[in-house]
């Protein structure tokens, strides 16, 4: 029943980094990283234990947002997005979960994955709709850079960026 302390350490480019706690949140660059953990029960230190974490770069995809100018006073209720994945990506690789719009942090209300085109040139498109009132309630009037992020079944993420403008005419 002793209190435990957790000491984590790792090296990046010959620099040693450390963190404490049961589940620290850390940022690692793309690549493979060996993380060391030592646990202290107040009397003894454990032998070091190691795990390897591989950070994979997200897939950058093309994003188009419609409308590009969002009138917060209009009757339309959705902001539509279309993500175009690289040639070769298959609809079966897309995780069955909403995509998320940032900086709003809003999940898509609707998501549909489509494949179009012949043979090797077949492309995968992800159509997602977001509630316009949530977007307008989160973002101030003006220009915004928007990212839409999703996940593949492999765990790798994909994201696209586009610009929109929020207006509220009288």
């Amino acid at each position: 029943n002793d209190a435990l302390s957790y000491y984590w350490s790792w090296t990046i480019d010959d620099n040693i980094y450390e963190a404490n706690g049961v589940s620290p949140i850390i940022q690692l660059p793309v690549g493979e990283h060996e993380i060391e953990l030592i646990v202290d029960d107040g009397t003894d230190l454990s032998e070091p234990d190691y795990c390897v974490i591989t950070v994979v770069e997200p897939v950058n995809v093309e994003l188009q947002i419609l409308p590009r100018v969002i009138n917060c006073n209009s009757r339309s209720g959705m902001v539509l997005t279309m993500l175009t994945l690289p040639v070769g990506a298959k609809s079966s690789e897309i995780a069955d979960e909403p995509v998320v719009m940032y900086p709003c942090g809003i999940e898509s209300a609707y998501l549909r994955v489509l494949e179009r085109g012949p043979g090797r040139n077949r492309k995968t498109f992800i159509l997602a709709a977001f509630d316009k009132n949530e977007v307008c309630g989160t973002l101030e009037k003006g220009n915004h850079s928007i990212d839409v992020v999703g996940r593949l079944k492999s765990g790798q993420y994909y994201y696209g960026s586009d610009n929109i403008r929020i207006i509220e005419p009288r």
Side-chain angles (χ1 to χ4, degrees):
N1 292 330
D2 293 336
L4 301 176
S5 298
Y6 301 83
Y7 304 104
W8 305 83
S9 64
W10 62 98
T11 303
I12 301 173
D13 296 330
D14 297 325
N15 295 313
I16 297 173
Y17 295 86
E18 298 177 336
N20 297 315
V22 174
S23 301
I25 296 174
I26 63 172
Q27 291 187 359
L28 298 169
V30 171
E32 192 170 277
H33 307 278
E34 184 176 72
I35 311 291
E36 177 187 78
L37 169 63
I38 297 175
V39 180
D40 180 0
D41 69 359
T43 304
D44 294 312
L45 297 177
S46 70
E47 290 294 318
D49 195 8
Y50 299 90
C51 70
V52 175
I53 296 175
T54 302
V55 179
V56 179
E57 187 168 3
V59 177
N60 189 355
V61 302
E62 180 183 336
L63 171 65
Q64 294 177 335
I65 300 176
L66 294 174
R68 307 225 5 113
V69 177
I70 298 170
N71 178 348
C72 292
N73 293 329
S74 73
R75 291 185 184 177
S76 67
M78 301 303 255
V79 175
L80 303 176
T81 64
M82 184 173 71
L83 297 137
T84 306
L85 277 67
V87 171
K90 294 183 169 82
S91 61
S92 60
E93 298 172 336
I94 308 300
D96 186 23
E97 60 191 34
V99 294
V100 181
M101 180 184 287
Y102 293 99
C104 313
I106 300 169
E107 289 188 353
S108 58
Y110 170 85
L111 184 85
R112 175 119 189 217
V113 181
L114 305 168
E115 288 185 6
R116 295 286 184 258
R120 291 184 183 162
N121 293 325
R122 193 167 190 84
K123 285 194 171 185
T124 299
F125 302 93
I126 300 170
L127 305 175
F130 295 86
D131 184 283
K132 182 195 73 169
N133 292 329
E134 285 188 74
V135 173
C136 288
T138 306
L139 298 175
E140 296 179 7
K141 289 189 289 186
N143 297 320
H144 298 275
S145 177
I146 300 295
D147 294 320
V148 174
V149 179
R151 192 174 60 84
L152 301 173
K153 288 180 180 173
S154 68
Q156 185 176 21
Y157 285 86
Y158 58 87
Y159 74 98
S161 300
D162 199 3
N163 295 306
I164 61 170
R165 184 168 182 215
I166 304 286
I167 63 170
E168 291 185 50
R170 296 180 204 264

